[in-house]
Structure formats: C-alpha cells, structure tokens
Amino acid sequence: MSVRVRFAPSPTGALHIGGIRTALYNFLFAKKMGGTFILRIEDTDRGRHVSGAEAYITDSLEWLGLTPNESSTNPGAFGPYRQSERLDIYRTYADRLISSGRAYYAFDKPEQLDVLRKEAEGKGGAFLYGALNRDSLDNSLNITEDELHSRLETGETYTIRLKVMPDDIISFEDIVRGEVSFNSNDLDDKILIKADGFPTYHMANVIDDYSMQITHVIRGEEWLSSTAHHLLLYHALGLENSIPRFAHLPLILKPSGNGKLSKRDGQKFGFPVFPISWYEDGKESFEGFREAGFLPQALLNFLVLLGWHPEGDQEILTIDNMIAQFSLERIGKSGARFDYDKAKWFNHQYIVHSPTDALLPEVSAELSKHGIQLTQKQVVDLIELMKERCTVIGDFHQQCGYLFAPIQDFDEIMLNKKWTDHSEAMMTTVIELIDSILPFEASEIEAQIKSHMEMNAISPGNLFPLLRIALTGTTKGPDLFKTIAFLGKEESSSRINHLITIKTIANE
Ligand code: GLU
C-alpha cells in the first residue's frame, strides 16, 4: 500500500515553527517513500477560527517549498480537504455509531455539567462523563425511544458522545515512543458531534484519516493522549484493520530547555518563532523567519535537526539529502532545544554557499526597501563582496552602510597610529594609479597596486590600513581590492582624497 500522510493544521492563528517541523517530517517521509503528502485544514472549531490563518499556512508551506500533493487548492480524489466542507461525512459515521450503540445523544446543558465539574473539583477530583455516571445524566441511554424522538423533533440541543467501555486496555506501538497504553477507565465519553452540529477534532480527524486512506499519522506529542480516543473510535466503527501507524514528535523546547517553546518566547528573547510574519489589524504582530532575513533552505535545515538526526554527523543537509536520509525510526523521544544562534549559523552557511543568483531577489528587495537602487551587476558584486560577513539578508544593507554613503566616522586611533609624514604623498600616488587602472576589476586593481608597492618600496603595513580607513572608515572589512572595484574609480579616489584633506587640515 502506498504511503499517504497528512499535515492537518487548524487555522486558529499563525502557524508556529513546531507545526512547520511537523509538515516537514510528513513531507520528507512522503518523498522518501514515494508517497503522497496531503494538506488538510481542520477548521471545525468555529469559535477559534481566525480569518487569514489558512492563507498563512498555504503561504508558509509555499515559501518553504513543502508543496502538498493534495490540498484544497490542488485536490486529489479524496476531497474536500477542508473539514468544514465535510460535515455530511462525519454525520453519516456518527449516525452509524448511534445505530450500533457505540455512541449516544447527550442533552446535558453546559451549566449542568459545570456544576458537576465544580463539585468534583471541590472534592479534589475531576469530573469524567463516562461509564460510572452516564446512567444518571441526561442522555439517550436513560430515556425511551419515544422521548428521544420527541426531544430531537422539538429541536432540543444535543451533542453526540462516544460510549467508552470500562476496564479496557488500549495499546499501540508508536514509531517514536514505543509501546503506549491507556486504561479506558481514565477516558471520558468524548463528544463527537458538538451542539453546533460540527464534529470535534477527534471525530473529524479519525474519519478523515480513514477516508483519506492515511497510512502514517506524524504529529506533535501533544496529541499522544488523544490517540486513545482515536483508537476507540476506529474499533467502534469496525475499522480496526485501517488503523494508521502513529509517530508522535518530541516537543520543541525553550532556549533554556525548560518547557515548550511558545510564541511569547519569541517576543521575550527577540527571535522569530513563526515562518513568515503574522499581521493583526494590518500591523505586523509577529516577525517571521522570512522577514528576519532567513533563507527557506536554512530554516528547513535548522528545523529538520530539531528532533531527528541522520546517521552520520553531517549538519548541512539540502532537501534532497534530507529526503534520502530521512527515517521515522531516527526521530528522538526527548524534546529538542530551540537555539537561535544555531539557526543563524545555518543561515550564514546557506548565504555563503548559495550561488549568487539565488540570493539576488532577496538582496535586491532588501536594498530597495532602504531606497538603495543598484544595477543587477552591482548587486551581484555586493553579494560576492559581502556574503562571508552576512548572517541574515538584512546584513546586506546593515553591514554595508559604508558602501552606500560617504564615510562619516574614521577609526581615529588607528588613523593617527598609521599616518606618517609620507602618507600624504603615498596616498596621492595611489589616487593617480587608481585613475589609470583598466579594466577596473578587482584582479587588475590588486595586480597594479601590488606592483606599484613593489616598485616604490611601500609595505602592506603602511598602505593597506590607511586605504581601508579611507574607503570604509575602519581597518576591518571585506577584500580590499573587491571593495575598491565595487566603489568604482571615482568614489574610491574621492574617498582617499577626502582622507588626505582631513589629515592635512588637522595638521595645519
Ligand atoms: N488539527 C490538529 C492540529 O492543529 C491536528 C493534529 C493531528 O495531526 O492529528 O495540530
């Protein structure tokens, strides 16, 4: 049977990177197995539905290249792929459970249940709607057929609950966690259809996994305990032969390692926890990795290692490497600590090793954002000049201020240390030399300056620091000759001239 997996987010807000990691693992597993990766939107909780959240999910997956084989925008044979469009399907299965006695109508009002809940809590316990008390509650198990019909006919609000049998041990073999068991005495008669007619997560999730022929459920650890009810549902529906395999992924932990990473941690520590920015009321309320200047490949590489490791100690993994090496068996049980410095390290690696062309659109967009208009050739040169020094795309502007505007501040201490009585003459000859270099390219500039130094017995220690200070303001920076080429003949000469003027005035 061919592998079919699904990523099943609920559109209740921006999708946290934990969700993206789940999508990535599903995607990799599908690709590895030659299977199908499905995007299913679980939008049955109408109260928590947030407009724009579904588009956010789609946009995030698209940015990362995690394209589903089946989804509502690219339907296959198992649609619809949005649960709110599948209500009839859930209803049919709910009716089937009622007819077979595995589910029942419950008429209890929320206020009545609240009272019972408080009462139980008062005694230090928890209220469980189930085998021990269902006989004394307001449901179809305790009324006649006629009464049931008349209550349904009068339009009384009801829910449909799963009838959980007591003293049942439910076990399954989780691919990540090994054998997991639950005792049905700890489980309540879960609501399957809510008072608003919509199914609960449990009902819709199981019916869809079954009807979309899902073979492997790969999802976050927070859903592990729900699996007990899911298994009971498969059994109640007589679908025990169609139970998928489960793999529950470890948590992504806070940088401290204490507890689950939350969206508030991002705000608290100043790093993104969402793939792309999330806007509320037209304003950015959470910055995404994309907007923080990350490359999609780098983010995926960072995420894939939060909970999974390849066999060797290779850290840089292209998507094809990931697919080739991915296996569910290598997913770890313990939580993976979120380390933003590591994310930045990956991004730096990807910036340094990406072909310049691949960085062009992002870098051009970043520069235009700051009102800097360069030709395509200049952007290419800038990328080649600066990429070793850039961690995020924003650095192509931020770290490069001196390339775009005249130098305001010079490293005075260094300047005074290096400037001698001969410096003015030396710098003047360099201006003359620069004027004569053709073609004005880094390799030619380097060759000419070096031969000029040799002929005039100028040592690197005398010239280079001063040249750098003139051109960039400091003695640190990227390759000197590439910098001169980038700035161009005129700008380079004018900067050197400016330094000479400053020093001459200072010495008068
Ligand atoms: N709708 C659930 C979520 O938001 C899906 C959990 C599952 O994959 O079963 O994560």
Side-chain angles (χ1 to χ4, degrees):
M1 193 164 61
S2 95
V3 160
R4 291 178 56 83
V5 292
R6 84 305 192 273
F7 175 49
S10 298
T12 53
L15 184 66
H16 182 274
I17 50 152
I20 295 294
R21 185 198 54 176
T22 302
L24 173 62
Y25 285 12
N26 275 284
F27 173 88
L28 293 176
F29 185 63
K31 293 280 169 236
K32 166 91 187 195
M33 305 304 285
T36 306
F37 171 54
I38 295 153
L39 171 65
R40 183 172 78 218
I41 300 295
E42 302 211 325
D43 58 349
T44 59
D45 191 341
R46 304 316 282 169
R48 294 185 61 215
H49 189 269
V50 170
S51 89
E54 185 180 331
Y56 178 92
I57 294 165
T58 317
D59 292 349
S60 300
L61 294 182
E62 191 182 314
W63 175 59
L64 291 161
L66 303 177
T67 313
N69 303 104
E70 293 175 20
S71 66
S72 49
T73 46
N74 180 30
F78 298 83
Y81 293 86
R82 214 176 268 124
Q83 288 187 328
S84 56
E85 293 165 15
R86 300 172 62 84
L87 301 184
D88 291 351
I89 304 177
Y90 311 125
R91 193 71 221 194
T92 310
Y93 283 96
D95 289 345
R96 202 202 272 185
L97 287 168
I98 291 201
S99 313
S100 63
R102 306 303 295 264
Y104 58 89
Y105 296 94
F107 297 97
D108 319 83
K109 304 277 166 289
E111 313 80 63
Q112 292 170 318
L113 296 177
D114 273 348
V115 171
L116 297 171
R117 210 165 280 129
K118 289 216 176 81
E119 223 173 81
E121 279 164 11
K123 291 184 197 146
F127 173 72
L128 207 70
Y129 198 124
L132 290 180
N133 57 8
R134 63 169 82 102
D135 290 352
S136 58
L137 291 161
D138 189 8
N139 56 56
S140 56
L141 301 172
N142 309 318
I143 54 176
T144 62
E145 280 280 303
D146 287 347
E147 193 184 333
L148 172 62
H149 284 300
S150 77
R151 288 178 80 169
L152 291 178
E153 256 161 46
T154 56
E156 192 173 335
T157 321
Y158 63 84
T159 60
I160 295 179
R161 285 182 181 266
L162 178 69
K163 190 173 173 190
V164 176
M165 303 300 177
D167 304 324
D168 193 5
I169 300 295
I170 307 131
S171 314
F172 72 101
E173 190 68 26
D174 188 272
I175 299 171
V176 176
R177 318 197 65 85
E179 159 122 10
V180 182
S181 297
F182 301 94
N183 187 322
S184 69
N185 293 341
D186 300 327
L187 304 177
D188 65 339
D189 284 357
K190 205 53 95 200
I191 295 180
L192 303 178
I193 302 286
K194 294 178 279 187
D196 63 2
F198 276 73
T200 53
Y201 153 69
H202 306 284
M203 176 71 175
N205 191 268
V206 166
I207 299 306
D208 287 348
D209 283 348
Y210 165 69
S211 50
M212 294 182 176
Q213 295 180 14
I214 299 302
T215 56
H216 296 75
V217 169
I218 305 166
R219 63 183 170 197
E221 184 178 283
E222 62 271 34
W223 304 104
L224 181 65
S225 58
S226 301
T227 313
H229 279 105
H230 297 177
L231 292 169
L232 287 176
L233 257 172
Y234 281 101
H235 285 279
L237 287 160
L239 302 174
E240 42 279 272
N241 294 330
S242 305
I243 298 177
R245 305 259 354 246
F246 291 94
H248 286 93
L249 309 178
L251 294 177
I252 297 184
L253 304 175
K254 293 178 192 300
S256 63
N258 291 327
K260 190 178 161 185
L261 179 74
S262 74
K263 60 181 181 189
R264 268 174 301 270
D265 292 323
Q267 285 170 324
K268 192 161 140 201
F269 300 113
F271 53 66
V273 293
F274 295 105
I276 61 180
S277 289
W278 172 254
Y279 295 88
E280 262 158 34
D281 305 326
K283 281 199 295 266
E284 182 186 84
S285 53
F286 292 105
E287 185 186 44
F289 274 92
R290 180 177 67 184
E291 290 73 9
F294 279 75
L295 301 176
Q297 259 297 313
L299 179 58
L300 292 180
N301 200 153
F302 167 64
L303 287 181
V304 79
L305 296 173
L306 289 183
W308 172 85
H309 290 279
E311 235 165 88
D313 47 16
Q314 189 185 353
E315 281 199 292
I316 300 292
L317 297 153
T318 63
I319 198 84
D320 288 341
N321 295 151
M322 293 180 204
I323 294 169
Q325 301 194 49
F326 193 76
S327 80
L328 295 176
E329 284 71 25
R330 296 196 67 83
I331 294 173
K333 273 201 208 33
S334 43
R337 205 170 57 81
F338 178 92
D339 177 355
Y340 188 51
D341 287 336
K342 191 77 197 188
K344 287 198 289 193
W345 180 83
F346 276 111
N347 207 48
H348 175 65
Q349 294 300 317
Y350 275 88
I351 285 181
V352 173
H353 299 292
S354 287
T356 300
D357 277 0
L359 300 173
L360 250 180
E362 273 94 353
V363 175
S364 304
E366 180 67 25
L367 294 172
S368 332
K369 206 168 83 189
H370 294 281
I372 295 168
Q373 296 304 333
L374 301 182
T375 63
Q376 180 152 323
K377 161 90 174 67
Q378 285 172 313
V379 184
V380 167
D381 290 345
L382 174 75
I383 294 172
E384 279 165 11
L385 180 66
M386 296 303 293
K387 66 182 183 183
E388 291 282 347
R389 320 181 80 78
C390 293
T391 299
V392 291
I393 293 294
D395 289 344
F396 283 98
H397 170 254
Q398 191 145 28
Q399 303 282 331
C400 307
Y402 56 82
L403 295 175
F404 308 126
I407 311 301
Q408 306 291 351
D409 299 310
F410 294 98
D411 180 343
E412 295 273 353
I413 298 175
M414 198 46 130
L415 183 55
N416 293 336
K417 215 156 59 186
K418 292 286 169 188
W419 193 269
T420 68
D421 295 345
H422 307 292
S423 299
E424 183 182 341
M426 177 181 74
M427 297 299 264
T428 309
T429 60
V430 172
I431 294 178
E432 279 160 18
L433 175 74
I434 283 180
D435 273 346
S436 70
I437 298 175
L438 256 176
F440 202 67
E441 279 164 11
S443 55
E444 189 58 25
I445 298 168
E446 178 169 6
Q448 299 254 4
I449 291 187
K450 284 187 173 163
S451 96
H452 172 80
M453 287 163 71
E454 220 174 286
M455 272 171 12
N456 297 287
I458 299 173
S459 76
N462 280 339
L463 177 62
F464 291 160
L466 285 180
L467 252 188
R468 276 190 181 281
I469 291 175
L471 297 168
T472 70
T474 80
T475 49
K476 293 179 215 80
D479 183 274
L480 181 60
F481 308 106
K482 286 187 184 158
T483 307
I484 297 173
F486 181 82
L487 289 171
K489 217 175 246 194
E490 232 171 80
E491 182 65 17
S492 300
S493 304
S494 120
R495 288 186 183 197
I496 301 170
N497 228 336
H498 181 57
L499 184 72
I500 296 175
T501 317
I502 285 184
K503 284 312 288 182
T504 328
I505 294 170
N507 290 343
E508 271 168 11

